[in-house]
Structures are given as structure tokens and as C-alpha cells.
Amino acid sequence: MSEQSDDAVPPSSVPLAPSADPKPPTPIATPANEAEEQPLSGFEDARRIVRLLQCAQCSLPLREPMTLPCGNSLCRQCLPEIHTRHNITYPATAARMQGIDCPFSDCLRDHALGDCSMDVTLSKVMAQAKISMDEFQPVIGEAPILLEEKDEWAAAGVASLSGRLPRSRALPGGRLIATYKMVELGELAHDAEVAYKHLSGVVGDSKDLDATTLDAVKDKIRSEFDCQICYAIYLDPLTTTCGHTFCRKCLQRVLDHSSYCPICRRLLDLSHTISPAQYPSNARLASLLAGLWPSLLTARRALLETEESSTPADLDLPLFVCTISFPTMPTFIHVFEPRYRLMMRRVLDSDRRFGMLLHNPRQIPQPGLGATPPFFEYGTLLHIVSAQLLPDGRSLIETVGISLFRVLRHGVRDGYLVGSVERVEDLPLADEEALEIAETTSTTEVHADADTDVDADASPFASLSTQDLMALCTAFVRRMRAASAPWMHARTLRVYGECPTSPAQFPWWFASVLPLPESDKYALLQTTSVRERLKICATWVERIERVPE
Ligand SMILES: [Zn+2]
Ligand SMILES: [Zn+2]
Ligand SMILES: [Zn+2]
Ligand SMILES: [Zn+2]
């Protein structure tokens, strides 16, 4: 019956302080339960508040806090021993080849060290909270409070696991400061409760003092909880690998047009949708926000809802059904039909983006659309680099691929196709690595807890490491070049560039230059990892080499 860590409490379920004034019954129609609006009280919730500053590993106030990709935080000193991660060849950067076994029971996964960040916000919060607590000067003659650590196990009639007696201290400063000091002294375990005895017998003094202390702490740390993108209080705080924190929604908007941290400009290896399942919120910051400023949070959430409901997002992307395009690669289009000339004019007047879809002349059913439209459901978002308008109204459009998408709904506007699309994203790097480990080790070792299921009818290349797949493909390119294959013409290379050395880039280039039917290349548009794409490229190599020229 050890108490659950506060970190595990979702922001929406902060319980009412035990002795808070009873509220009138909440009308059922009110969206937010009023009980949740109560901030923690410095007197009644002193133990809970201090636990929000405490490391679950060493029980001290967090020192040089680090936040792990699962959203849990601990002291830098409490980071488990670093080990070398095996069976990973991509991306295989120095920071990703070292890992730790997550010590939090709700996770226990292997984290790449490069995914664990020095938490800038939490560091500042800890420093400011300490300054605030240390500012208190005991008044001469003031009665201290006796604090007794309550051993939850002993209370339940079980011998204490720690095998030591509960500790006690008489400290001045009210419950909040006294509890914080006891934690600083290392005498209060993270999960332990505390019993307070007011030695003077006057409880009122501590109540006022605790309220003042908490207000001072909140004043000191409040500005640390402002997002540097929207300048409002963090909503769903997400901490990036560089240690900076933003609202999830704000970061999503940034990632739409940039891959760099808005504060430090470091490259962020994040998928664009940054779903909560793949990138959990910073649990510690979320608990602090929910405990200290619940009404600000509710107001912020309501504001976002109004913003979102006023943005018409439906059927907003013009779609061009023609050929196959790939991210990062150029596509050239000759536009002559009047309806498409209109479409391109509108695209050029707005954000210069439209979707390219492959023609589906044989009416192959598209499962996601529940019908057989004249196009394939997966496509590529293109950006117009240049447009040459000819005197007769035709135009030559040069584009570059941005990202993959899937059509959710579609309709017709002024004769051309428009759609509502969903971005198709690559897996986070941790999942990409898990895929490689699962596939390359499954024949020799049993990985019952591997994140990624190994496909039963996996390709014959599944046992190759990601780098070996890349090597197989680039060796083929070199052989073809040496043999002066017609599709490796200098003109082609001028358009698509030289063979890329990056495994992430290679499949897009390879598919652009290789003389294969577009319907074969379409397989690439449905993939979500570099590894999957390289396996497809390897099957192409095998197929081409099997057939004599
Ligand atoms: Zn973890
Ligand atoms: Zn610690
Ligand atoms: Zn924000
Ligand atoms: Zn940053």
C-alpha cells in the first residue's frame, strides 16, 4: 500500500485537499469539475507539494534534473549506469549507441542517452524554489513543528523494507518549509508520508505562514512555466532532447515548417505529429502545473479549443492526380488543363503547397477510402520551387517533395480534386532502433518484450542490419555506374543529385532514378521507417540483378 508517486497522477485528477471547504454540487453540464480547480494548499498539501520537487530515486530535491523520453525526471546523479546498446546500425550516432535501463516502474525500457535531456525548465524551477525556501528567517522564539516520517509498510503491519526506524525532526518555518528542509537533509523518503505535531499548539500560525510561503514560491517559479512560443502557461509540456520545453501544440506548429528547436536551434529528431503515445509529456512539469495553477490551465485549454474550432481544416489541400513523387526529390509538372491552371494559380497565391497523388487507372481498391477512387490514397506533399508561366496559359512547375500523407476524405472544387489529408510520419528513432534489434536478433535470441513485432512473412533481407541493407544497395549503384547503365545518365544525376550517403535520403533518390513501374515504387509511400524503405530497395536490387540484361 505504498503511496503512488504524484508523477503518476494525470493532471485532470488532482484530488481535492482533504479539509478544503465543501463545494456546492457541481452542475452536470459544467465541462470541468470544479473540484479540480482547487490549487494545492501550502498547509494541508505540504507533503504533496514537496514531493513534486523530490527525486523518486534518491529522495533528495532534484539535482541537475534530467527528463527521460518516457516523461519521468530524476537527478543527473541518479541516472542508472550507462551501457552500450547493441544490434543498432542506424542512426548509430554516439549519443544513441549509449543507453540506460529506465528505473521507473511505469517504463523500464532501454533509453538512448541522446534521448535523455538536461531539463532546463525543471532546473530553473528547482533553483528558484530553493531560493524561496531559503529566504525564510526563523522568528526568535517561534515554536518549531515536529515532523515524523510515517512508514507506510509499518502502518500496514508489514516489516519496513528499509529496516530502519522512521525519522523525526523538529523544524521551524511552517509545514512547507520544514518538510522541504527534512527532504534536503535526506530524512524523508520520496514515498513516505509525514505526521505533523505543532509543538506550540497553535495551528493557525503555520497555516498563515504556509500560505505565504507557497505564494512566494509560486511567484518565483511562475515565469518558468511560460512557453517561449505562445508566451502562455504550458499546456501539455513536452521536453525536447535539447532540454527545452514547449506546449505540445506549439511544438507541432513549429515542426510543420522547421526541424530546429526555436530556442537553441539544435536539430530535433521528432516526428511532426509528436503524438502523446510516442512522446509522453513531461510528467513532473505537468504535475506541478496541475497542482499549483489548475485554473490557469483550464483557461488555457478552453482558449485552445476555441482557436481550433474556428480553423476550418477540412478539404483544404489541392490534390493533383498525375505521377509519383518522393520527399526531398524534385518533380516537374507541365500544367495545361484550365482547371489545373486555376488550381496552380491558387496554390501559388497561398502557401505554394499541394498534394501529388498517383493515378489509379486499374481501379485498385484503396482500403482507407473504402472505395476505388481514380488515385492511390498515399501521396506526397509538394512545395512549388519555381513556376514558369507561358504566354499561352500553360505552365511549367518545379516542385520538391516535403512529406508523405494519406487522403482521409476528398471532394471536388472548381473541377479539381481537394482533400483532407493526414501526414504519414516516420517512427521515432527509438522505434526505428527497436525494429532493427527485433529483426536482426529474433532468429538467435528471444525478445519477448520487444516493442516491435517481427513480421511473420518478413522479407529475406530482414536479418540484415540497416547499414548492411544500405551497403547492398549502394554497391549495386556503383556496379550499375561502372557498367554505364542507361538510367545512370549524367542528365538524371544532374536533376536528382549524386547517390546520397544518408540511409534516410537514399530510398527517395533510388526510387527517383530507377526504371521501375510507378506502381512498384508506390510501396515506399506507405512506409514509416528508413529500415522498411531500404528493405524494399533491396528487393528491387535483387529483382533487377536476377533478370539478365
Ligand atoms: Zn523511461
Ligand atoms: Zn535523485
Ligand atoms: Zn506554447
Ligand atoms: Zn532547444
Side-chain angles (χ1 to χ4, degrees), residues 261-284:
C261 171
I263 295 179
C264 67
R265 310 303 303 163
R266 250 174 281 182
L267 184 67
L268 300 172
D269 274 317
L270 294 171
S271 70
H272 290 72
T273 43
I274 37 175
S275 71
Q278 292 178 325
Y279 301 95
S281 306
N282 186 317
R284 187 64 72 123

Side-chain angles (χ1 to χ4, degrees), residues 55-63 74-78:
C55 172
Q57 308 302 314
C58 67
S59 294
L60 290 171
L62 284 165
R63 299 159 293 161
L74 42 59
C75 313
R76 185 182 189 174
Q77 292 89 329
C78 294

Side-chain angles (χ1 to χ4, degrees), residues 6-26:
D6 281 354
D7 286 356
V9 178
S12 60
S13 62
V14 176
L16 187 65
S19 57
D21 296 330
K23 288 263 160 205
T26 314

Side-chain angles (χ1 to χ4, degrees), residues 329-346:
M329 288 291 134
T331 303
F332 301 87
I333 311 158
H334 180 196
V335 180
F336 48 90
E337 272 190 69
R339 55 187 172 146
Y340 290 125
R341 286 176 2 202
L342 172 65
M343 177 187 128
M344 286 304 171
R345 269 207 306 280
R346 285 178 177 165

Side-chain angles (χ1 to χ4, degrees), residues 339-370:
R339 55 187 172 146
Y340 290 125
R341 286 176 2 202
L342 172 65
M343 177 187 128
M344 286 304 171
R345 269 207 306 280
R346 285 178 177 165
V347 169
L348 282 165
D349 284 344
S350 60
D351 62 357
R352 300 172 78 96
R353 289 181 177 197
F354 65 96
M356 176 64 86
L357 293 170
L358 180 59
H359 200 46
N360 181 10
R362 285 191 291 142
Q363 303 274 300
I364 297 167
Q366 298 300 299
L369 292 171

Side-chain angles (χ1 to χ4, degrees), residues 227 229-230 247 250 300:
C227 166
I229 297 174
C230 65
C247 311
C250 289
R300 176 82 179 80

